[in-house]
Amino acid sequence: MSQQVSQRRRGTELEDTILEAAWAELHEVGYTRLTMEGVAARARTGKQVLYRRWRNRAELAVAAMRHKTGSIADQPPDTGTLRGDVIEVLRRMARRQHDIPREMLHGLMAESSEVQMDVAVIMADVMAGILERAATRGEIASAEVSPRVMSVPTDLLRHELVLTRHPITEELIAEIVDEVFLPLLGFVPGDDVQDQGPALRARPERARGRGF
Amino acid sequence: MSQQVSQRRRGTELEDTILEAAWAELHEVGYTRLTMEGVAARARTGKQVLYRRWRNRAELAVAAMRHKTGSIADQPPDTGTLRGDVIEVLRRMARRQHDIPREMLHGLMAESSEVQMDVAVIMADVMAGILERAATRGEIASAEVSPRVMSVPTDLLRHELVLTRHPITEELIAEIVDEVFLPLLGFVPGDDVQDQGPALRARPERARGRGF
Amino acid sequence: MSQQVSQRRRGTELEDTILEAAWAELHEVGYTRLTMEGVAARARTGKQVLYRRWRNRAELAVAAMRHKTGSIADQPPDTGTLRGDVIEVLRRMARRQHDIPREMLHGLMAESSEVQMDVAVIMADVMAGILERAATRGEIASAEVSPRVMSVPTDLLRHELVLTRHPITEELIAEIVDEVFLPLLGFVPGDDVQDQGPALRARPERARGRGF
Amino acid sequence: MSQQVSQRRRGTELEDTILEAAWAELHEVGYTRLTMEGVAARARTGKQVLYRRWRNRAELAVAAMRHKTGSIADQPPDTGTLRGDVIEVLRRMARRQHDIPREMLHGLMAESSEVQMDVAVIMADVMAGILERAATRGEIASAEVSPRVMSVPTDLLRHELVLTRHPITEELIAEIVDEVFLPLLGFVPGDDVQDQGPALRARPERARGRGF
DNA sequence: CTCTAAACGAGACGGTACGTCCAGTCTTCGG
DNA sequence: CCGAAGACTGGACGTACCGTCTCGTTTAGAG
């Protein structure tokens, strides 16, 4: 009479459980100390089940990451101004990165060739759209911008996000847009952008080694 | 009778042997599969000897890296032109990176807090010097440039070096300098820089995933 | 339009296939490495089909063994002489054992309580019949023989078959009969049994350990 | 002042601990379910330590067995009578076997070629000595006995010990000696051996299968 | 020059995780 | 309902390294 409930998890249900377990482990112990055994134990299943789906912890971690973080440029921002659009794009990138610690990213990039910078291409499309609209509005003379220039804001932000330990602030985003990107486009900001305080400020962090 | 040669290595001699062994291992198997046991075996010594000097493989790898790659900005370039100087700086960065596979870098950044972007600060100093001289020569109006702008060329190159799989070419460097940095400084290139072919070219690589 | 042949095996047909697969596996990899999965794969069926019939690999192996080796004392030998009958019984035991490697037997005895020495009782009956006929023929005074004595030849042969690595030869069988069993019955062999060569011969094999 | 006790066990001390742990596991779970992990856990050491010493669980089990059970025929019995000596030998065998369950033995014989019947040869020597003394005392005409006959009592007992589930009783031993061995030697027992009750008794156990 | 303390080389130790195999059970689907 | 197929829980396998500890052997340098 009563609906026979499956005792044993299978397929998608099981997979979701595992990916959530992996995500939890990633945040508790970090990628470096992520173990298949740990994930299996937390998901209350066997290691074989994991290995049936992902060849190694890198693939598992990538899958867990994607499971939690949806696609980035689902719908391009449209704030009505060039500056607003670009800032919104950068904000979304930063917000997205919030979930993914640098350490995890580096660990993945060290072990997996999966994690690519593919998003760069996607971002290029988004930026092209933004510039298109800006040209239509007459904010800039032409949408014909070198791809190198077009990717400057996202590249610079990504550089900060992944390769430095600087906290990502609104000021940082404003700097990238107002000191670098807009000037490159020959855009002269109107009166609404007079908060250019941080310019010419020295970086606080000191070098302790030689880095790379 | 014969000169008594020390059978057992110690101190610096031993340390050098180890660091070379580590460097060799790094290139043979990569950072991910670098093991203390492997290095010890290759250097024909015991693991204790390694642990006496470096707390873990990350420290050892960093040390091995530094042992091979000297400091970056030993002497700032001085080619006589702003453009030449900046290009030279980027070339040196690229050349230096040649020795250090991306995988190694990511592995290190995942495990060690040692590998920092400290070099960024050093590069800032170098760039400041270059701009100073350019201002003196009258190439640019003033050396008073926002630190954000000043670090744009090195940040962009580092982004390419570490976060993409693009090969580092002369064209890439030229793009960064001619399409981004010099325009930002309000610099109008002379007749010697008419090789601006790559502009507006589309990026060839396609996205295969969502990356990050 | 040809007669639709049942693609799916069932009942006895399926069971036979499985038992033959099991027997084949037993001879290819031995009992120790016999696996339910291996048998299922070889029989092109699922594990559940096996578990529906036999609780574990021991039971399956026993079944496979019995499937190949029929009952031992189907019809008691009747050669016309006491000596001939006993030798024939021992020969049949030896021949039967030929199919079943010692390793398989030990494996089964370790895991299954099924494989019993029940045959001992059967053999006792067979031996009783043989002695009965010998008494009737007048070869021995009486068929009233202690059960212990009666089982001596089969027990000794079984000891050799299962617990030693000695090859089972005609001489071995002759020894058991002529040096042990017949003397125990007070039987004086006639002239046809003068091939008593092996007596007093030393055993060739040397001890290498302490065994048990 | 205080004796510095080594925290970490090594060499023989560690080995003894392990063998005792293995012996304990053998008795708790039996050979079939003996696991290297179980032994390592009980001995509070790593699996590698076990594998460094023994290639597999069979070797470990054999070693554990030998560690507990000393050599069998350290000093031959000398009771003053042939019967007494033989009975004493069989009693010792039975006592020794008490420690080693049949299941363990079969498991070992299935997996290891180490466990041999070498002891048979040793027993032959012991029996030869016993017969020698019996001949000297005049109990038997000559010590020249066929090796087959000489090993009959030990072979029969071993058959019972290993291949049947019969409990090993004094009566069983008496049967072997009084009904089989002594008669074979043409020995006529004196008045002290009138307890020949069990003769002609039927075996109680019934066959449940076809055995082997 | 002898003695001593430290460092070296070698490798065992207690442990964690790997990636694989198999047991025995459960589920789905098709005939 | 049962066969075929295969996924699931779970446990052990045998291996690789980790970082520590111990042993016996150089080897510098202090006395």
Side-chain angles (χ1 to χ4, degrees):
Chain A
M1 198 56 171
S2 69
Q3 162 73 32
Q4 172 60 31
V5 179
S6 176
Q7 299 305 121
R8 192 172 276 190
R9 301 158 299 171
R10 304 167 60 85
T12 315
E13 182 197 351
L14 178 56
E15 196 148 325
D16 286 356
T17 311
I18 294 169
L19 290 175
E20 272 153 36
W23 190 245
E25 287 280 304
L26 271 170
H27 277 86
E28 277 187 19
V29 305
Y31 177 75
T32 312
R33 274 172 297 175
L34 179 75
T35 68
M36 297 300 253
E37 291 203 332
V39 175
R42 183 187 276 259
R44 296 160 173 281
T45 185
K47 287 192 284 179
Q48 189 80 71
V49 173
L50 305 193
Y51 283 106
R52 231 190 311 271
R53 289 168 167 75
W54 305 279
R55 270 199 304 272
N56 47 54
R57 65 176 196 150
E59 287 195 9
L60 169 58
V62 170
M65 222 170 78
R66 293 195 174 149
H67 189 251
K68 275 296 166 196
T69 349
S71 185
I72 188 157
D74 290 330
Q75 43 188 39
D78 189 357
T79 62
T81 69
L82 170 58
R83 185 174 185 274
D85 283 359
V86 179
I87 282 185
E88 181 56 24
V89 164
L90 300 189
R91 272 189 195 137
R92 288 190 192 177
M93 278 180 70
R95 214 176 304 131
R96 192 161 185 278
Q97 208 62 28
H98 211 254
D99 292 340
I100 307 173
R102 270 177 267 264
E103 177 263 337
M104 190 188 304
L105 223 42
H106 287 298
L108 280 174
M109 295 183 75
E111 288 188 13
S112 159
S113 56
E114 265 275 0
V115 176
Q116 292 292 341
M117 289 291 85
D118 323 310
V119 79
V121 183
I122 298 169
M123 298 314 288
D125 291 346
V126 174
M127 289 303 296
I130 288 173
L131 291 176
E132 203 86 45
R133 287 196 302 279
T136 306
R137 283 192 300 261
E139 285 186 285
I140 53 176
S142 155
E144 293 275 301
V145 175
S146 139
R148 169 66 51 198
V149 170
M150 205 145 62
S151 68
V152 158
T154 49
D155 286 357
L156 285 182
L157 181 62
R158 196 177 300 113
H159 176 269
E160 297 294 314
L161 284 168
V162 182
L163 298 179
T164 75
R165 300 188 175 270
H166 305 148
I168 305 305
T169 61
E170 273 296 310
E171 285 77 30
L172 172 67
I173 291 176
E175 267 183 43
I176 291 175
V177 175
D178 297 326
E179 298 182 20
V180 182
F181 191 51
L182 296 186
L184 265 179
L185 299 178
F187 182 88
V188 181
D191 291 31
D192 55 325
V193 198
Q194 296 309 349
D195 177 27
Q196 289 197 354
L200 298 179
R201 224 176 24 201
R203 300 266 189 85
E205 196 165 318
R206 297 306 311 161
R208 268 170 317 205
R210 283 176 302 172
F212 74 95
Chain B
M1 185 167 297
S2 68
Q3 159 75 35
Q4 172 59 32
V5 179
S6 174
Q7 297 305 118
R8 190 170 278 187
R9 302 153 299 171
R10 330 179 100 235
T12 314
E13 182 198 351
L14 177 58
E15 197 149 324
D16 285 358
T17 311
I18 294 170
L19 290 175
E20 272 153 37
W23 190 244
E25 287 281 306
L26 271 170
H27 277 87
E28 278 187 19
V29 303
Y31 177 75
T32 311
R33 275 172 297 178
L34 179 76
T35 67
M36 297 302 254
E37 293 202 333
V39 175
R42 184 188 276 259
R44 295 158 172 283
T45 185
K47 287 194 286 178
Q48 190 73 74
V49 174
L50 305 194
Y51 283 105
R52 237 195 301 275
R53 288 167 168 75
W54 306 278
R55 270 200 305 271
N56 48 52
R57 66 175 194 153
E59 288 194 8
L60 169 57
V62 170
M65 222 171 78
R66 292 195 175 149
H67 188 250
K68 275 295 166 196
T69 2
S71 184
I72 188 158
D74 289 331
Q75 43 187 41
D78 189 357
T79 62
T81 70
L82 170 57
R83 185 174 185 274
D85 282 359
V86 178
I87 283 185
E88 181 57 23
V89 163
L90 300 188
R91 273 189 194 136
R92 288 189 191 177
M93 279 180 68
R95 214 176 303 131
R96 191 159 184 280
Q97 208 62 29
H98 212 253
D99 292 340
I100 306 174
R102 268 178 268 266
E103 176 262 339
M104 191 188 303
L105 222 43
H106 287 298
L108 281 173
M109 295 183 74
E111 286 187 15
S112 159
S113 55
E114 264 277 354
V115 176
Q116 292 292 342
M117 291 291 84
D118 323 310
V119 78
V121 183
I122 298 169
M123 298 313 289
D125 291 347
V126 174
M127 289 303 295
I130 288 173
L131 290 177
E132 203 85 45
R133 288 197 302 280
T136 308
R137 282 192 300 264
E139 286 187 284
I140 53 174
S142 155
E144 291 274 304
V145 175
S146 136
R148 169 68 49 200
V149 170
M150 204 145 63
S151 68
V152 158
T154 50
D155 286 357
L156 284 182
L157 181 63
R158 196 176 301 113
H159 176 269
E160 297 294 313
L161 285 169
V162 182
L163 298 179
T164 76
R165 299 188 175 272
H166 305 149
I168 305 304
T169 61
E170 272 295 309
E171 285 77 31
L172 172 67
I173 291 176
E175 268 183 43
I176 290 175
V177 175
D178 297 325
E179 299 182 18
V180 181
F181 191 51
L182 296 187
L184 265 180
L185 297 179
F187 181 88
V188 181
D191 289 31
D192 56 323
V193 197
Q194 295 308 350
D195 177 26
Q196 289 197 354
L200 297 178
R201 225 179 22 200
R203 300 262 191 89
E205 194 167 319
R206 296 305 313 161
R208 266 169 318 201
R210 282 179 300 173
F212 72 94
Chain C
M1 287 310 111
S2 67
Q3 158 75 32
Q4 172 58 32
V5 179
S6 174
Q7 297 306 118
R8 186 164 286 185
R9 300 155 299 172
R10 324 179 115 245
T12 315
E13 183 196 352
L14 177 58
E15 197 150 325
D16 285 359
T17 311
I18 294 170
L19 290 175
E20 271 154 37
W23 189 246
E25 286 282 303
L26 271 170
H27 277 87
E28 277 187 20
V29 304
Y31 177 74
T32 311
R33 275 173 297 176
L34 179 76
T35 67
M36 297 302 255
E37 291 199 335
V39 174
R42 184 187 276 259
R44 297 159 171 282
T45 186
K47 287 195 286 179
Q48 191 66 61
V49 175
L50 304 194
Y51 282 105
R52 226 184 323 263
R53 290 169 168 75
W54 306 278
R55 269 200 306 268
N56 48 52
R57 66 175 194 153
E59 287 195 9
L60 169 58
V62 170
M65 221 170 78
R66 292 194 175 150
H67 188 250
K68 275 295 167 196
T69 8
S71 184
I72 187 159
D74 290 330
Q75 44 188 39
D78 189 356
T79 62
T81 68
L82 170 57
R83 185 174 185 273
D85 282 0
V86 179
I87 282 184
E88 182 56 24
V89 164
L90 299 189
R91 273 187 193 137
R92 288 188 190 177
M93 280 180 69
R95 215 176 301 131
R96 192 160 184 278
Q97 208 61 30
H98 212 253
D99 292 340
I100 307 173
R102 270 178 267 263
E103 177 262 337
M104 191 189 302
L105 221 43
H106 287 297
L108 281 174
M109 295 182 75
E111 286 188 16
S112 158
S113 55
E114 265 277 355
V115 176
Q116 292 294 341
M117 290 292 84
D118 322 312
V119 78
V121 182
I122 298 169
M123 298 313 289
D125 292 345
V126 174
M127 289 303 296
I130 288 173
L131 290 177
E132 204 85 46
R133 288 195 303 279
T136 306
R137 281 191 303 263
E139 286 187 285
I140 52 174
S142 155
E144 292 275 302
V145 175
S146 138
R148 170 66 50 199
V149 170
M150 207 143 62
S151 69
V152 158
T154 50
D155 286 356
L156 285 182
L157 181 63
R158 196 175 301 113
H159 176 270
E160 297 294 314
L161 285 168
V162 182
L163 298 179
T164 76
R165 300 187 174 271
H166 305 148
I168 305 305
T169 61
E170 273 296 310
E171 284 78 31
L172 172 68
I173 289 175
E175 266 183 44
I176 290 174
V177 175
D178 296 326
E179 298 181 19
V180 181
F181 191 50
L182 296 187
L184 265 179
L185 298 179
F187 182 88
V188 182
D191 288 35
D192 56 323
V193 197
Q194 294 308 350
D195 177 26
Q196 289 197 355
L200 298 179
R201 226 176 24 199
R203 300 263 191 87
E205 196 167 317
R206 297 304 313 160
R208 268 171 317 205
R210 283 179 299 172
F212 72 94
Chain D
M1 198 53 174
S2 70
Q3 162 75 33
Q4 172 61 29
V5 179
S6 173
Q7 300 305 120
R8 194 172 275 190
R9 300 158 299 171
R10 302 169 59 84
T12 314
E13 183 197 350
L14 177 57
E15 197 148 325
D16 286 357
T17 310
I18 294 170
L19 291 175
E20 272 153 36
W23 190 245
E25 286 281 305
L26 271 169
H27 277 87
E28 278 187 18
V29 305
Y31 177 74
T32 311
R33 273 173 297 177
L34 179 75
T35 67
M36 297 301 253
E37 290 204 334
V39 175
R42 183 188 277 259
R44 296 160 173 282
T45 184
K47 287 193 283 180
Q48 191 77 66
V49 173
L50 305 194
Y51 283 107
R52 235 194 304 274
R53 290 167 167 74
W54 305 279
R55 270 199 305 273
N56 46 55
R57 65 178 195 148
E59 286 194 10
L60 170 57
V62 171
M65 222 169 77
R66 294 195 173 148
H67 188 250
K68 274 296 165 196
T69 348
S71 184
I72 187 157
D74 290 329
Q75 44 188 38
D78 189 356
T79 61
T81 68
L82 170 57
R83 186 173 184 274
D85 282 0
V86 178
I87 283 184
E88 181 55 24
V89 164
L90 300 189
R91 273 188 194 137
R92 288 189 192 177
M93 279 179 70
R95 215 176 301 132
R96 192 161 185 277
Q97 208 62 28
H98 210 254
D99 291 340
I100 307 173
R102 268 177 270 265
E103 176 263 336
M104 189 189 304
L105 222 43
H106 287 298
L108 281 174
M109 296 184 75
E111 287 189 15
S112 159
S113 56
E114 265 273 359
V115 176
Q116 293 291 342
M117 289 290 84
D118 323 309
V119 78
V121 183
I122 298 170
M123 299 314 289
D125 292 345
V126 174
M127 290 303 295
I130 288 173
L131 290 177
E132 203 86 45
R133 287 196 302 278
T136 306
R137 283 192 299 262
E139 287 187 283
I140 52 175
S142 157
E144 293 273 301
V145 175
S146 139
R148 170 66 50 200
V149 170
M150 206 143 64
S151 68
V152 159
T154 49
D155 286 358
L156 285 182
L157 182 62
R158 196 176 301 114
H159 176 270
E160 297 295 313
L161 284 168
V162 182
L163 298 179
T164 76
R165 299 188 176 270
H166 305 148
I168 305 304
T169 61
E170 272 297 309
E171 284 77 32
L172 172 68
I173 291 176
E175 266 182 44
I176 291 175
V177 175
D178 296 327
E179 299 181 19
V180 181
F181 191 51
L182 296 186
L184 265 179
L185 298 178
F187 181 88
V188 182
D191 290 32
D192 54 326
V193 197
Q194 296 307 351
D195 177 28
Q196 290 196 355
L200 298 178
R201 229 176 21 202
R203 299 266 188 86
E205 195 166 318
R206 297 308 311 162
R208 269 169 316 204
R210 282 178 302 172
F212 72 95

